[in-house]
Amino acid sequence: MLRTIFEEFLAIFVDDIRFAVSIIAWIAIAGLALPLMVNPTWQGLLLGLGLLIILAESAWRRARA
Amino acid sequence: MDINWAHIGPTVLASFLASLVEFVEALTVVLAVGVTRGWRGAIAGTVLALLVLLVMTAALGPALTLIPLAIVQLAVGGLLVLFGLRWLRKAILRSAGIIPLHDEAAAFAKETSLLRSMGGLTRGWDRIAVATSFKITMLEGVEVVFIVIAMGAGGSGLLIPAAMGALVALLLVVVLGLVVHRPLSRIPENTLKFGVGVLLSGFGTFWVGEGIGVQWPGADWSVLGLVAAFLLVALASVPACRRNA
């Protein structure tokens, strides 16, 4: 039972591997690479914009599948 | 980061709405257990799970204050983004008709059928009743605990409002369950998940930003801008997904 609960807990964060990896990768890029290219205000806006694009693209791709 | 109504209001709302969804799903199974295998076991399993969840929240919530805030915001924010965007993506697809809506009545029927088929009813404590109620309350409750702790970890003074939101949701579901004595299938679950997904995605993005040193325009009030942006994109995605199906 504990294993089931643990597996279910992990599943609340990831049910589409590609979607989850895209999100984590973009957060990593926003944290590590963007500060080298843009100021902190643009960094935040791009962080948000990137996540919005990932959301829309993933939903749209799933709808086409 | 100062805590103000820009955070407390949405924190309570997100915690309440998310908890409402989870407790409604748990209620469906607990009702099925009570109807088929007896209320003593159903209530005992549920109460036991709630006590475990309460201890988890009481222990984990304050424990996070021992970790540097930036690390907590990045880690918890990241998890909130994963959780929120997952819920929001599914809500978009359900709204567009790509995947079916969750049907509490059907879930209740399926659960009662399964529980009846198990047999082995006894006059004393029904282990299946206790175990099933405990398991479903823990499964749904762990998500509530995560949301409460995550929303509360964003800054000092937010854990109590987040916990209050969850507690109000629990009380509401219990009262409705006692009154209606049926699965709460008329609650617009997908609409709630859509809203919660928007809120958690916005908050999660804000805290990830805080954790990586972003300077948000408008400071704490930018969380509302993020929430609005996720809402607009999600709403626009519904017809787009429908057209592409």
Side-chain angles (χ1 to χ4, degrees):
Chain A
M1 185 191 295
L2 283 177
R3 183 177 170 174
T4 303
I5 292 170
F6 180 69
E7 287 173 354
E8 288 282 338
F9 179 70
L10 289 180
I12 70 174
F13 301 108
V14 181
D15 62 356
D16 181 317
I17 296 290
R18 182 173 160 170
F19 186 48
V21 168
S22 300
I23 292 167
I24 294 169
W26 182 246
I27 289 173
I29 290 170
L32 299 171
L34 287 186
L36 304 174
M37 295 184 274
V38 297
N39 67 40
T41 299
W42 275 104
Q43 184 188 2
L45 293 173
L46 289 172
L47 168 66
L49 184 62
L51 291 173
L52 288 167
I53 291 172
I54 289 169
L55 169 68
E57 188 277 335
S58 181
W60 183 77
R61 177 169 41 86
R62 173 61 181 83
R64 288 187 69 190
Chain B
M1 182 179 71
D2 292 328
I3 302 303
N4 53 39
W5 284 106
H7 288 270
I8 292 178
T11 293
V12 174
L13 183 63
S15 182
F16 170 76
L17 293 177
S19 302
L20 189 66
V21 171
E22 303 297 348
F23 289 138
V24 164
E25 291 183 0
L27 177 71
T28 296
V29 176
V30 171
L31 280 174
V33 172
V35 163
T36 57
R37 305 199 67 94
W39 289 103
R40 183 160 65 166
I43 292 171
T46 303
V47 169
L48 189 58
L50 287 174
L51 287 172
V52 171
L53 292 166
L54 186 63
V55 168
M56 281 172 64
T57 306
L60 292 174
L64 286 178
T65 61
L66 301 175
I67 302 171
L69 185 59
I71 296 174
V72 170
Q73 286 173 329
L74 179 58
V76 171
L79 289 175
L80 265 182
V81 168
L82 285 170
F83 184 97
L85 286 182
R86 181 182 151 269
W87 264 31
L88 188 51
R89 177 177 170 271
K90 269 197 166 174
I92 291 169
L93 294 171
R94 286 195 183 104
S95 296
I98 306 301
I99 56 179
L101 294 174
H102 185 69
D103 187 340
E104 291 298 337
F108 179 77
K110 182 181 171 188
E111 196 67 35
T112 50
S113 175
L114 177 66
L115 287 164
R116 283 201 175 104
S117 70
M118 288 181 179
L121 282 168
T122 62
R123 294 189 66 186
W125 289 98
D126 186 316
R127 287 184 183 181
I128 292 175
V130 175
T132 306
S133 297
F134 178 84
K135 183 178 163 186
I136 191 62
T137 306
M138 280 298 295
L139 281 174
E140 305 297 344
V142 156
E143 295 187 47
V144 172
V145 168
F146 165 71
I147 290 165
V148 168
I149 291 176
M151 297 302 285
S156 63
L158 286 179
L159 184 61
I160 301 293
M164 287 297 110
L167 189 59
V168 170
L170 174 62
L171 291 173
L172 180 63
V173 168
V174 168
V175 168
L176 285 175
L178 287 171
V179 169
V180 175
H181 227 70
R182 221 175 324 182
L184 304 178
S185 51
R186 296 184 70 178
I187 286 185
E189 185 174 326
N190 198 55
T191 304
L192 288 177
K193 284 187 168 177
F194 202 105
V196 170
V198 164
L199 286 169
L200 296 186
S201 300
F203 263 94
T205 304
F206 179 82
W207 284 330
V208 164
E210 291 283 293
I212 62 176
V214 159
Q215 280 178 12
W216 292 107
D220 294 348
W221 292 97
S222 61
V223 70
L224 299 179
L226 285 166
V227 168
F230 276 107
L231 178 62
L232 287 172
V233 168
L235 287 173
S237 297
V238 172
C241 287
R242 209 177 277 142
R243 272 198 302 274
N244 281 287

